[in-house]
Amino acid sequence: IRLSAAYLRDVERADGSARSQAELEGLVVFALVSTLWRPRPGTDVPGGLVSGVADYARLRAGLAPPHWTRSPSIPSPDDDDNDHDHDPWASGFSTVAFFLDWVDTHVCRDVVPALTAALVLASGSSQWSPALWEAITGVPLAAAWTAYQQDLLADVAAQRRALHMSPVGPDGLPVYEYSADMAAVDPAAAARFRLAIPDPVAWLAEATAGALRALYAGREADAPRHIAGVRLVVRDFDGVAHTVDAAIPVHGAAGAAGAAGNGTRPGKAIHVSVRYMASVFERVGQNVELLRGEMDGVMLHEAVHVVQHNGFGSAPGWFVEGLADLVRLRGGLAPPHWTRQRGGRWTDGYSRTAYFLDWLEPASAGTGTRTGIGQRVQQLNATLAMQPWTRSLFEQQMQIPAGHTMASMWDRFQASL
């Protein structure tokens, strides 16, 4: 067994000698089990199961490193956004170790010794297959993996509810802390920005409140309260705007509860480009009112990214961006160049997807208003707080008629233009 002394020294420098010693012991356990848990030739055991058993031994020995976490394993949607049958063994290592540990606790005691007897010991005669798993555990592999993932998702949702860092306003919606940072722009760019946006913090707060109303009016309990605050960052860069995770400083004793390390709490930051603002300013003939209208739409779009749910990161980009533009469209802030036009696909995102969503659940259907997004889209967004995205979930929540698919509904939408 060869171990890297340089790696262990790095661990010691970062986390101390006790952590370095535990890491050494954990690596030795992993290496020994990887050597000894050697399936018989021809058993076709997935490599992820082998590495998972090795990490399972390390986990059960109490030698799991701090960065190991029991977290949902969510596959990313492909280009066509098909539903996925995720291979439980694909990730291997600690992901499989935690799964085996869960199975041992909730489904079948001593599952690893049983697999060892069937696949590793000379007296065994089995070949790996999902049927072997079911024979040992009494539960189909796919059903066990799904139940495990549902448990993990429920744990994450419970943790988010327990955080509840943001207070609630009179309307039942979260009240975040807002701040603005314009230190990175030169005085001329800052002056032009303030010409259109005299109060950046109020502008940020108004847009975020609008996004919250659009997504959560009538279902206020679904709004995210695990976000501590939102910061506006105005700077010079290519592009328009984007939203990222950010650490929000704790202010006062009231904010100390639930604070992360170093006196911060999880929040969001919206970055807005003064370079883009300058280009718009010239394009509209230096009309401040038109500039403000465009930037109001941009900010509302980004504010949706602050408060929308995304199925633990599994929602496809076309829906994430299309929902943000739907809120902008229904809020009366669509720019002049947006048009309902033929061509493309529903997965193009942004305004093309927004118009498709608007057609699927029009305001005239009585399920929404010109400033709301409709009950179906609201429900879909709320569901994505608790479970990952699938195309079947979208079709169910959007009430796609029986016998139709997203592709056939897109064709009907195109024919209506």
Side-chain angles (χ1 to χ4, degrees), residues 360-373:
L360 284 174
E361 188 180 15
S364 59
T367 59
T369 67
R370 292 313 304 172
T371 57
I373 58 170

Side-chain angles (χ1 to χ4, degrees), residues 17-43:
S17 59
R19 172 85 279 281
S20 178
Q21 178 66 26
E23 182 70 7
L24 169 62
E25 294 174 10
L27 291 173
V28 170
V29 167
F30 176 88
L32 285 171
V33 176
S34 296
T35 301
L36 297 172
W37 207 85
R38 186 76 52 89
R40 297 186 314 280
T43 51

Side-chain angles (χ1 to χ4, degrees), residues 294-345:
E294 167 63 11
M295 297 313 298
D296 283 349
V298 168
M299 179 53 69
L300 182 59
H301 174 107
E302 295 303 323
V304 172
H305 292 328
V306 169
V307 301
Q308 70 186 143
H309 298 299
N310 61 12
F312 306 96
S314 66
W318 64 262
F319 177 75
V320 172
E321 300 296 345
L323 175 57
D325 268 359
L326 174 64
V327 173
R328 181 176 180 178
L329 174 66
R330 289 286 182 94
L333 293 171
H337 65 272
W338 282 15
T339 57
R340 298 176 188 264
Q341 57 184 345
R342 291 191 175 187
R345 303 181 74 231

Side-chain angles (χ1 to χ4, degrees), residues 158-335:
Q159 290 167 11
R160 287 185 174 181
R161 287 194 297 269
L163 283 175
H164 274 194
M165 292 176 294
S166 300
V168 174
D171 58 359
L173 293 169
V175 177
Y176 305 131
E177 294 183 11
Y178 298 101
S179 61
D181 178 6
M182 299 181 60
V185 297
D186 61 61
R192 183 168 52 244
F193 180 90
R194 288 189 178 276
L195 189 65
I197 316 293
D199 189 340
V201 173
W203 182 56
L204 173 64
E206 181 182 356
T208 307
L212 283 167
R213 286 192 299 271
L215 290 170
Y216 302 107
R219 51 185 326 119
E220 289 78 9
D222 295 321
R225 290 186 57 198
H226 61 280
I227 299 170
V230 189
R231 182 169 68 250
L232 171 64
V233 180
V234 181
R235 58 189 183 88
D236 185 16
F237 62 92
D238 287 332
V240 180
H242 59 266
T243 300
V244 297
D245 293 332
I248 302 299
V250 173
H251 296 296
N262 301 318
T264 62
R265 296 172 296 168
K268 299 287 184 177
I270 299 176
H271 292 244
V272 173
S273 170
V274 292
R275 190 179 308 176
Y276 175 73
M277 287 190 68
S279 68
V280 173
F281 194 48
E282 295 303 318
R283 188 171 72 237
V284 299
Q286 299 189 358
N287 185 306
V288 175
E289 183 178 350
L290 293 179
L291 173 61
R292 174 63 185 251
E294 167 63 11
M295 297 313 298
D296 283 349
V298 168
M299 179 53 69
L300 182 59
H301 174 107
E302 295 303 323
V304 172
H305 292 328
V306 169
V307 301
Q308 70 186 143
H309 298 299
N310 61 12
F312 306 96
S314 66
W318 64 262
F319 177 75
V320 172
E321 300 296 345
L323 175 57
D325 268 359
L326 174 64
V327 173
R328 181 176 180 178
L329 174 66
R330 289 286 182 94
L333 293 171

Side-chain angles (χ1 to χ4, degrees), residues 342-343 359 408-417:
R342 291 191 175 187
W359 177 80
S408 65
M409 294 301 288
W410 175 256
D411 291 341
R412 291 179 61 183
F413 169 59
Q414 292 287 291
S416 72
L417 299 177

Side-chain angles (χ1 to χ4, degrees), residues 20 105 115 181 389:
S20 178
T105 303
L115 289 169
D181 178 6
W389 168 280

Side-chain angles (χ1 to χ4, degrees), residues 4-21 23:
S4 168
Y7 169 72
L8 293 172
R9 284 195 295 270
D10 288 343
V11 173
E12 182 173 5
R13 279 193 294 268
D15 301 314
S17 59
R19 172 85 279 281
S20 178
Q21 178 66 26
E23 182 70 7

